[in-house]
Amino acid sequence: MTQPTSYGGRPRTPAPGAAAPERRIARLRGHARGLFWSALVLIGVSGATAYFYDNLPAPFENWMLLTAAGAVVLLLVVLPYVAWLSRSWTITTRRVIERSGFFGSSTREISHVRGYAIQMRRGILQRLWGAGTLTLSNGVEPPLRLKNVPHAVLVHETLVDQVEVNQILAHRDSQSQGSGAVDY
C-alpha cells in the first residue's frame, strides 16, 4: 500500500497501525473584547491621577490619591486580566484540552476519536466581533464549553474536520488489525 501524497502543506496520513504524532492546531483564549471596560478604567484612572496629582484639596495628600488609584487598577484592571489569562483551550490532532485556574489548575479533555456533538451559539455582539460559544458534548461527560471563542466559525469547521479525520483513521486502523486472512 502506498502512502497518499500531501497537497497544500497538509500532513501525510500515517501508515495503518502506526502511531500518528499529536500536533497542536490552535491555542485559544476567550475574545479580548471582554477587557474593553478594563482598558477604559485604566485610561480614566491614569488621566484622573495625572490631573489631580499635586492639585488635591487640603485634607488629602498625594499618597492617598496614588493608593486609591492603585486599588482601583488592581480590582478593575489586573484581576479581570488575570481571570482572562487563566483560561485557555488547546486543540490538537487528537483532543481538545481546557485549562483553567491561576493558582490551582484544572484540566478537562475531550477526544476526537470518540466523537462529539458541536453546538455553536452566537449572539448579536458575538457575530459582530466574529466570536461565539461552542459546546462540545459526547453524551457521557459534562459538556465542554468554549465561551467567546474568536473566529468561532473557523474553530467549528476545524473541530468537525478533526472528528471526521480521527474517526476515519480509527476505523482504518481497526480494519487493518482485525482483517487478517485465515488459512484453513
Side-chain angles (χ1 to χ4, degrees):
M1 174 183 272
T2 61
Q3 197 59 252
T5 59
S6 99
Y7 298 104
R10 295 186 76 185
R12 294 171 54 103
T13 307
E22 183 174 18
R23 297 175 190 244
R24 184 175 66 191
I25 297 172
R27 180 172 290 155
L28 307 165
R29 295 192 191 284
H31 202 282
R33 69 181 165 84
L35 299 174
F36 173 76
W37 294 111
S38 295
L40 280 182
V41 166
L42 181 63
I43 292 168
V45 166
S46 300
T49 303
Y51 178 76
F52 286 116
Y53 194 81
D54 281 340
N55 201 12
L56 291 170
F60 298 106
E61 295 182 20
N62 286 335
W63 68 269
M64 294 176 184
L65 174 69
L66 294 176
T67 303
V72 169
V73 166
L74 179 69
L75 291 175
L76 298 178
V77 176
V78 174
L79 289 180
Y81 178 71
V82 168
W84 174 78
L85 201 60
S86 68
R87 177 173 297 246
S88 69
W89 301 283
T90 305
I91 301 171
T92 69
T93 54
R94 291 186 187 165
R95 57 197 168 154
V96 178
I97 307 163
E98 176 189 43
R99 289 190 178 95
S100 61
F102 190 71
F103 296 112
S105 175
S106 67
T107 304
R108 288 185 55 200
E109 298 179 4
I110 188 165
S111 175
H112 298 312
V113 174
R114 293 187 68 186
Y116 47 84
I118 305 171
Q119 179 184 10
M120 180 168 50
R121 188 181 82 41
R122 299 174 73 190
I124 294 172
L125 287 176
Q126 286 179 327
R127 279 190 220 140
L128 181 68
W129 290 96
T133 299
L134 298 173
T135 305
L136 313 177
S137 61
N138 62 4
V140 178
E141 301 166 0
L144 180 64
R145 288 196 206 297
L146 285 68
K147 296 179 184 175
N148 283 323
V149 174
H151 307 290
V153 174
L154 181 62
V155 173
H156 181 271
E157 291 173 0
T158 302
L159 290 172
V160 168
D161 288 345
Q162 287 303 310
V163 168
E164 183 179 0
V165 166
N166 275 279
Q167 288 183 345
I168 288 171
L169 290 175
H171 178 72
R172 184 193 68 180
D173 288 345
S174 70
Q175 293 297 318
S176 68
Q177 290 175 358
S179 65
V182 178
D183 294 329
Y184 289 104

